[in-house]
Amino acid sequence: MNEHDSERIRGVLEENDWLPTDDPEAADLLIFNTCSVRESAVNRLLGRLGEARRLKNERPERLVALAGCFAQSRQADIFHDLPFLDIAFGPRNIGELPALIEGARSGSVPASSFTDNNMLSGGLPTRRGDDYRAWVQVMTGCTNCCSYCVVPGVRGPERSRPVSDIVEETRRLVDDGVVEVTLLGQNVNSFGLDLDTAGGKRQSFAALLEMLDSINGLRRIRFTTSHPRDLGPDLIEAIRDLPAVCEHLHLPVQSGSDHILGRMNRGYSREHYLELVGLINKEVPDISLTTDIIIGFPGEKEEDFFRTITLVGECRFDGAFTFVYSARAGTEAALFPGLIPEVTIKRRMHELVSLTQQIALAKNQALAGSEVEVLIEGPSRQGGSQWRGRTRQNKIVNFTTPGRGSAPATGSFTLVTIDSATSTTLKGHQSA
Ligand code: 5AD
Ligand code: SF4
């Protein structure tokens, strides 16, 4: 979501005749688009701001702007704490950036906007990173109350974009050469709950997928993120039945312990999660399943951690993003007792990561000998004459091509036979 916001910041700026540069020394405007979901992102930002302060002192007419959810969460003190800033704005105020720049240039005080202007940023100009794939925002904000999470506080309540806007934007992207879209929302499964119901019929996410699936030329539809509490059988059927919808589901579980899930306020049980995973595996046998897990949540006992380990063993995830819990100001969990010592967290993390890697490796190795459809992303980072792409299951594939023929085109599809695998990538050769 944050990266897509950056694409929009760039789109809005380019529409106002600003050009991007990779060289901070040459920039007239420096923008940091920030995230505050975990402390590690904030720490990285604080390191980068030192350089921004130096650049500002060097050339005072240069503007420095702070965007995104860290700015939003610190809005009251931001210009006091970071006096070299000229502009600060939240994730809901990207469209106001040209006016903020004008304000900062003409006034002697910094310019900011954090108001919830009820505007959906989906319609703003976007400068995409790739020609052949795009993000499409289907909703903003989040109305859940996971006790550890800053998102509802900084991005505001959930709002769905009208279906017709989403379909129209996707059509335009496909006309422009896009073959893959990723639909973005904090909780796509509750898409449409806040929309007016035409003729009493709810606009569900599954129904939206069906509409997008019928767009000619759109080969792959991805979406993120699903919430286990709200994922219904209609979405599983959509993944099973709609040709463009990819066989990949990112379904953050966060913990395998009911005690911790309750304290996290996630709204589902371990058993419910396992049932969902059973159902999706039955209906879509070639599904790839990924998840998010938090380790060291306040009060996480050894038996809670053990429940997470056994859940991972049962679900056999294709990939897991593992996070050390970080207390975020303003969230409910920041006040919870029962902080876990760092050594315990390290040990648990180590155990969890080795298990998830071992499972991912076994699942990837099982693909050896099979033929997969790959959307080509360009030359492999490993160099040589290798290419890189992704399967429908969102697995990265590095592959070789036969002979000295022309280089495979980025954004085109090819068939690749898998030869070997690591826990994160597949290796193969282009099928004859
Ligand atoms: N501490 C650690 N991880 C967090 N996440 C969200 N908030 C926190 C936090 N306070 C993780 C969750 C979520 C992912 C995007 O980030 O696992 O799914
Ligand atoms: Fe945060 Fe929970 Fe909303 Fe995800 S569903 S953005 S974890 S509050």
Side-chain angles (χ1 to χ4, degrees):
M1 192 69 90
N2 191 271
E3 275 184 50
H4 186 43
D5 284 349
S6 295
E7 287 188 343
R8 270 196 292 251
I9 290 173
R10 190 166 159 176
V12 167
L13 285 173
E14 288 192 16
E15 196 150 88
N16 284 270
D17 300 326
W18 289 84
L19 292 173
T21 172
D22 290 333
D23 177 12
E25 303 271 350
D28 298 314
L29 166 66
L30 295 161
I31 299 197
F32 295 86
N33 187 23
T34 62
C35 170
S36 62
V37 166
R38 288 175 300 274
E39 200 174 355
S40 51
V42 174
N43 290 342
R44 235 175 309 146
L45 168 73
L46 296 178
R48 302 284 299 274
L49 285 177
E51 194 195 357
R53 188 207 316 249
R54 181 183 65 75
L55 289 166
K56 176 74 185 174
N57 287 341
E58 203 179 274
R59 184 145 66 83
E61 68 278 14
R62 169 183 276 150
L63 297 178
V64 181
L66 202 64
C69 81
F70 174 75
Q72 181 85 32
S73 67
R74 299 287 180 90
Q75 56 181 285
D77 308 312
I78 199 92
F79 294 118
H80 174 265
D81 294 347
L82 304 167
F84 56 93
L85 279 188
D86 300 289
I87 297 168
F89 58 104
R92 291 169 292 191
N93 311 94
I94 295 172
E96 296 160 57
L97 182 53
L100 291 170
I101 293 174
E102 270 319 298
R105 274 181 164 167
S106 56
S108 52
V109 287
S112 68
S113 182
F114 296 103
T115 46
D116 181 2
N117 50 23
N118 211 354
M119 236 183 69
L120 289 169
S121 44
L124 291 173
T126 300
R127 179 53 198 257
R128 294 200 310 274
D130 296 306
D131 294 335
Y132 62 94
R133 64 179 171 188
W135 281 302
V136 174
Q137 188 172 2
V138 300
M139 58 215 292
T140 57
C142 182
T143 303
N144 290 313
C145 322
C146 301
S147 59
Y148 52 81
C149 186
V150 291
V151 169
V154 290
R155 287 190 182 265
E158 197 168 278
R159 283 192 202 112
S160 305
R161 262 177 97 188
V163 172
S164 53
D165 284 14
I166 300 168
V167 173
E168 196 200 318
E169 181 181 349
T170 310
R171 274 222 177 90
R172 253 188 291 120
L173 288 166
V174 173
D175 286 346
D176 201 28
V178 164
V179 289
E180 175 184 293
V181 292
T182 302
L183 309 178
L184 289 178
Q186 306 296 344
N187 178 10
V188 293
N189 308 108
S190 58
F191 173 82
L193 284 177
D194 58 319
L195 289 177
D196 282 342
T197 46
K201 195 170 171 288
R202 173 157 110 71
Q203 317 265 14
S204 73
F205 186 60
L208 174 68
L209 286 177
E210 197 175 333
M211 269 183 247
L212 298 176
D213 184 76
S214 67
I215 297 178
N216 253 339
L218 182 57
R219 295 274 298 268
R220 290 181 172 188
I221 302 172
R222 303 187 182 284
F223 55 88
T224 198
T225 295
S226 290
H227 193 300
R229 187 197 55 214
D230 303 319
L231 189 148
D234 59 340
L235 180 59
I236 295 180
E237 282 157 23
I239 302 174
R240 183 191 66 194
D241 298 338
L242 300 174
V245 175
C246 287
E247 295 74 27
H248 171 223
L249 183 65
H250 184 62
L251 194 62
V253 66
Q254 314 296 3
S255 169
S257 151
D258 283 339
H259 164 231
I260 296 296
L261 287 172
R263 283 168 65 92
M264 286 177 165
N265 204 16
R266 290 287 289 173
Y268 54 86
S269 64
R270 170 195 174 95
E271 191 188 345
H272 177 76
Y273 189 88
L274 288 173
E275 265 168 27
L276 275 181
V277 169
L279 188 61
I280 184 97
N281 277 323
K282 179 166 156 267
E283 296 298 326
V284 192
D286 57 345
I287 192 83
S288 116
L289 191 65
T290 54
T291 198
D292 292 345
I293 298 170
I294 298 176
I295 284 297
F297 190 77
E300 184 188 67
K301 299 198 182 70
E302 211 50 36
E303 68 213 46
D304 297 312
F305 173 63
F306 183 67
R307 302 285 283 161
T308 298
I309 288 286
T310 54
L311 178 127
V312 166
E314 280 188 56
C315 295
R316 295 184 55 76
F317 296 110
D318 293 84
F321 297 97
T322 50
F323 305 107
V324 170
Y325 168 72
S326 80
R328 314 308 297 132
T331 62
E332 210 188 324
L335 306 172
F336 285 180
L339 289 188
I340 310 299
E342 218 177 296
V343 281
T344 311
I345 290 182
K346 276 207 174 121
R347 175 182 44 79
R348 288 180 186 168
M349 192 50 123
H350 183 73
E351 192 178 329
L352 177 65
V353 169
S354 26
L355 178 63
T356 54
Q357 284 178 347
Q358 191 189 316
I359 293 170
L361 176 67
K363 286 194 88 168
N364 285 349
Q365 281 177 339
L367 293 171
S370 66
E371 191 174 62
V372 292
E373 180 201 77
V374 170
L375 173 55
I376 300 171
E377 293 179 359
S380 161
R381 286 178 196 156
Q382 302 188 337
S385 53
Q386 285 202 62
W387 300 87
R388 174 192 154 103
R390 256 168 226 268
T391 67
R392 289 177 60 88
Q393 283 76 7
N394 209 30
K395 299 201 182 229
I396 297 168
V397 185
N398 290 310
F399 63 96
T400 54
T401 52
R404 299 179 195 288
S406 57
T410 297
S412 68
F413 291 88
T414 189
L415 290 176
V416 170
T417 304
I418 302 303
D419 300 317
S420 63
T422 68
S423 62
T424 52
T425 47
L426 305 174
K427 258 194 178 166
H429 60 274
Q430 198 173 28
S431 302

